[in-house]
Each structure stands twice: as structure tokens, then as C-alpha cells.
Amino acid sequence: TVLDPGRATYKIFFKDQFLYLGVDVNDQLVQSAAGLDEMDGIRFFIADREKMEEGSKLLVRNLEAHFSEGVLSPFEFLPELLDSSATEMAYQLKGATTVDDGGDVDEGYTIEMKVDLTYLGYDSNLGDHLLFIGALLADGDSFDDAANNYGTRAWWFREHPWGPALAWAYLDETQLVGIEDGNGSVIPKKLELLGNYPNPFNPSTAVYYQVPSAGNVTLRVFNVLGQQVGMLKDKAALGGIYKLNFNAMQLSSGIYFYRIEFKAPGQAVQLSPAGKMVLMK
């Protein structure tokens, strides 16, 4: 069971021959590790425009930064970029976040990179302005009971330096492109519980769900004995993805279960499967 899935927002822009990469990571347990399934950190994959590998494919450079011995450190091709070009990297822990302290609840970290594209085969004027890129977020969580350890990876087009294809991007000075969570143009076909974040939490968490049409929504929260300990009501104006913010200030630490009830006009009540949340005070 993944108690605390990592969540990150990536932002990318460019100026002159530099590509600027920013990552804002939400993570409640930040730790050092050597292996991919235990580490907390990010990877960017950028194709070198001059170097080729077997099969006449562009060589992909892995720009990796993850926590090691308590600090964020560069790995793979990133150290060479930092040593041999005008590339720079910086990071900052968010709030009261500490590294390798499982006794507290962290908030996460931010990373910024300034990548010198001329070292990756680009002309100083960026040539044809084509960029081949991918990104990955690695989130490992370790506990006193090693049986509960896990590692999660979420990637955009690419998880590692080889296959599948990178995303094609065009560095255009006149266009700003954004990608938002969710898909407002698609109407869900059924009620579905999408989970809660953060989890574990203290004292508030957001419960995400989707409904197929307009109707009344009820969130019910239960303790491990099956007793209802919380309830929130809402209305969905139309089909789509919504969230309800649940505050557990009056509850004690522990495991709780929750579900969504949905009632569309003229239809029977629909019940979602139960979700599990962990309150840690």
C-alpha cells in the first residue's frame, strides 16, 4: 500500500541557449537512498543533438538529482554538465522538511536547473529549436518495518535513458504552453473515488472523486469499528472531477475509511468503493 504518493509540478522555459527546469515536489517522507526504488529525486532526459548511439539514434542524456547522505546530489550525466558547461543546479527543502528523519511529516522540496544546451549539441541560436525531452519523479518511502517499504515512479514519456520515445518539443519564443491536471472536456461515465492527498495527513486532506452528471454528493468517514465519524455534503453542477476537503482536527491518530455517495435527480443512490486514509498527529 502506498501511503504517500509523490506529487510534483514541472515547469520548463528557455532563454538564449539555456533551458530552465523547475520542479516543485510534495512529499511527506524525504530520504536518502542509492537505488531507484528507494530514492527521492527527479530525472530529466534530453537528447544530445550531436551524439548518436547504435542504430543511428540520438544519444539520450540522463540528468538525475536525488538525495544522498542527506543532501541533493547530481548523478548520471548531470555532474559532467555542471563541471564542463555553464549548467547550474540548486534545491531547497520546503517548510520544516528534514531528510532521513522518519519521525516527522515533511512537505517536500524544490529543484531548479539551468541547462547549457550548447553542451548538448545545440547552436548558440538553438538551431532548428527542436527539443526531445522526458521527465521522471522517483519517490521512495522506508519504514521501521521493511515489509512496508515501497518505491514509486511517475514519468512523462520516459522512465529511463532507453525507450520509449521522448516527447518532441519546439522552443518557440512566442507561445506559452500549459498542461493542467484532469481533462475537463471528457465527461466521466461513472462514479469513481480517486483517492485522497496527502495521505498520511495532519489534520486536513483532499478527497478526489468523479461523477457522471449533476447531483448531490456526500462524503462519509468511518473509524475501524465502522462507526461514522465525519460527513461532508456537496453538489456537482455537472459531470467531472471534484474534491472535498476533510478536516480531522477533532479525531485522534489512526486509520479511517471513507466513501462517496452520489444521487443524481431521478436516480438511485450510487456508492463508491471505500478508500483508506491515515491520520498522523
Side-chain angles (χ1 to χ4, degrees):
T1 301
V2 176
L3 297 178
D4 174 34
R7 180 173 299 204
T9 300
Y10 285 77
K11 294 185 178 181
I12 306 172
F13 67 97
F14 72 97
K15 183 178 182 182
D16 302 324
Q17 80 267 25
F18 295 105
L19 186 70
Y20 295 85
L21 308 171
V23 189
D24 186 341
V25 179
N26 294 327
D27 187 5
Q28 295 183 102
L29 201 168
V30 179
Q31 66 182 28
S32 302
L36 180 59
D37 283 328
E38 295 85 29
M39 76 180 197
D40 283 336
I42 58 99
R43 284 177 170 176
F44 283 103
F45 307 103
I46 301 177
D48 193 308
R49 296 304 303 274
E50 287 186 343
K51 306 294 184 181
M52 307 292 288
E53 58 181 342
E54 185 178 353
S56 298
K57 296 183 295 183
L58 290 174
L59 180 62
V60 176
R61 302 298 193 180
N62 179 2
L63 282 56
E64 179 176 311
H66 69 253
F67 286 93
S68 175
E69 299 182 355
V71 298
L72 189 83
S73 301
F75 293 91
E76 302 293 338
F77 191 68
L78 185 55
E80 181 175 334
L81 270 178
L82 293 171
D83 292 340
S84 305
S85 72
T87 297
E88 300 177 33
M89 182 185 76
Y91 80 99
Q92 184 172 9
L93 299 176
K94 294 165 60 174
T97 297
T98 57
V99 182
D100 298 329
D101 182 359
D104 64 353
V105 178
D106 298 329
E107 296 180 42
Y109 53 93
T110 60
I111 302 174
E112 294 183 354
M113 295 185 191
K114 174 185 176 183
V115 178
D116 185 353
L117 290 175
T118 61
Y119 199 79
L120 296 174
Y122 282 81
D123 296 333
S124 58
N125 64 359
L126 299 181
D128 60 12
H129 285 230
L130 287 179
L131 176 72
F132 304 94
I133 189 170
L136 174 142
L137 169 67
D139 176 29
D141 288 339
S142 300
F143 305 93
D144 293 338
D145 183 357
N148 294 326
N149 296 355
Y150 55 80
T152 63
R153 300 190 296 277
W155 60 90
W156 175 65
F157 276 82
R158 197 154 189 156
E159 182 187 12
H160 39 63
W162 55 92
L166 295 171
W168 286 49
Y170 182 74
L171 302 174
D172 189 337
E173 298 93 338
T174 64
Q175 295 292 327
L176 179 64
V177 179
I179 301 176
E180 302 297 334
D181 288 340
N183 189 339
S185 63
V186 177
I187 303 299
K189 295 182 179 180
K190 62 178 182 179
L191 169 67
E192 186 171 347
L193 186 62
L194 303 178
N196 67 293
Y197 187 87
N199 192 22
F201 67 99
N202 179 27
S204 299
T205 186
V207 175
Y208 294 83
Y209 62 92
Q210 67 177 26
V211 293
S213 63
N216 295 319
V217 176
T218 302
L219 167 68
R220 298 186 188 273
V221 180
F222 306 88
N223 61 21
V224 293
L225 300 177
Q227 301 166 325
Q228 181 173 306
V229 295
M231 181 182 69
L232 292 174
K233 290 184 176 291
D234 197 10
K235 285 188 177 182
L238 46 81
I241 297 175
Y242 296 87
K243 71 175 181 179
L244 278 168
N245 293 313
F246 176 68
N247 190 304
M249 180 67 73
Q250 305 304 319
L251 301 179
S252 59
S253 297
I255 297 175
Y256 295 88
F257 300 90
Y258 62 98
R259 72 183 184 199
I260 293 291
E261 299 177 2
F262 175 66
K263 177 69 168 65
Q267 298 185 17
V269 174
Q270 301 179 46
L271 302 179
S272 74
K276 181 171 71 172
M277 61 175 67
V278 180
L279 174 61
M280 296 179 60
K281 289 187 174 180

